[in-house]
Amino acid sequence: MDLRTKIRNIKDFPKEGINFKDITTVLKDKDAFKECIDQIADQLKDKEIDIIVGPEARGFLIGAPLAYKLGAGFVPVRKPGKLPAETISAEYELEYGTDKLEIHKDAIKPGQKVVVVDDLLATGGTVKSTVSLIEELGGEVVAISFFIELEFLKGREALEGYEVNSIVKF
Ligand code: PRP
Ligand code: MG
């Protein structure tokens, strides 16, 4: 199945000049959704994985089913003020200004093997700060997996030194 054709392009969303990759058309299609998760899982099949970490919100949509399939735990990384227990946080750059992500302090134990999963790699800012949170807790990031990679934004360069996987490249 060519998953590329299942991703919907929305011109000028959320603002002019951005060609938004809409994955809701993949998620609602039972065969495409399964194929998406299966292909990401296949790239990770030789790894020992304790925890999948997914950043809010779209990272949950891919990360949680992947964790279930691989028999790993799932840990959410969230926008500020959403996680109820003690957290650590990391700032990351946006086009204008900065934003923050948080993780529970006790979510990952030192030495646990972690895979970071998100729907899309653009500049790499979101996942880079997710990786920094995991490493601050002592987790070992063994791979980073995306459904979609926007190659022209060179986010892969921001993640140099890590294994970066993606299924569909634009
Ligand atoms: C989108 C997307 C990735 C991130 C990619 O999330 O889901 O997480 O941007 O961009 P980057 O590589 O430049 O960091 P967004 O922050 O729009 O929020 P959402 O997942 O909550 O919809
Ligand atoms: Mg996101």
Side-chain angles (χ1 to χ4, degrees):
M1 182 192 302
D2 187 5
L3 286 170
R4 175 181 300 263
T5 62
K6 303 280 181 181
I7 299 161
R8 177 162 59 184
N9 291 295
I10 310 279
K11 257 195 150 137
D12 298 326
F13 183 89
K15 54 184 182 192
E16 222 177 297
I18 308 272
N19 187 16
F20 190 90
K21 299 296 176 202
D22 178 19
I23 64 164
T24 66
T25 44
V26 175
L27 300 172
K28 72 172 181 176
D29 177 327
K30 64 177 165 46
D31 298 323
F33 187 25
K34 184 171 191 310
E35 181 71 18
C36 168
I37 302 303
D38 287 352
Q39 281 192 25
I40 298 172
D42 197 55
Q43 292 178 327
L44 298 167
K45 68 175 187 295
D46 298 328
K47 298 211 182 309
E48 227 181 85
I49 303 165
D50 299 308
I51 302 279
I52 301 283
V53 171
E56 179 178 354
R58 284 175 263 162
F60 298 175
L61 300 171
I62 309 287
L66 185 71
Y68 181 83
K69 177 159 179 106
L70 292 172
F74 180 78
V75 167
V77 159
R78 297 210 62 178
K79 289 164 188 174
K82 298 288 188 183
L83 290 169
E86 217 182 324
T87 59
I88 57 165
S89 63
E91 280 202 351
Y92 65 107
E93 301 287 323
L94 295 173
E95 208 174 341
Y96 299 102
T98 62
D99 212 341
K100 236 187 210 176
L101 288 174
E102 296 184 339
I103 193 169
H104 274 146
K105 242 181 177 168
D106 63 357
I108 292 163
K109 293 190 194 76
Q112 280 194 306
K113 295 191 186 314
V114 179
V115 171
V116 180
V117 177
D118 205 355
D119 67 319
L120 178 114
L121 173 59
T123 66
T126 303
V127 158
K128 204 175 171 202
S129 79
T130 299
V131 165
S132 77
L133 289 169
I134 294 162
E135 291 180 343
E136 195 178 330
L137 296 177
E140 185 196 340
V141 175
V142 296
I144 305 171
S145 293
F146 299 94
F147 174 30
I148 301 165
E149 177 175 359
L150 301 181
E151 286 184 300
F152 58 95
L153 290 175
K154 302 193 191 312
R156 200 174 264 274
E157 287 173 14
L159 304 173
E160 223 188 294
Y162 296 93
E163 175 182 320
V164 176
N165 305 306
S166 64
I167 301 296
V168 178
K169 296 174 171 65
F170 289 98

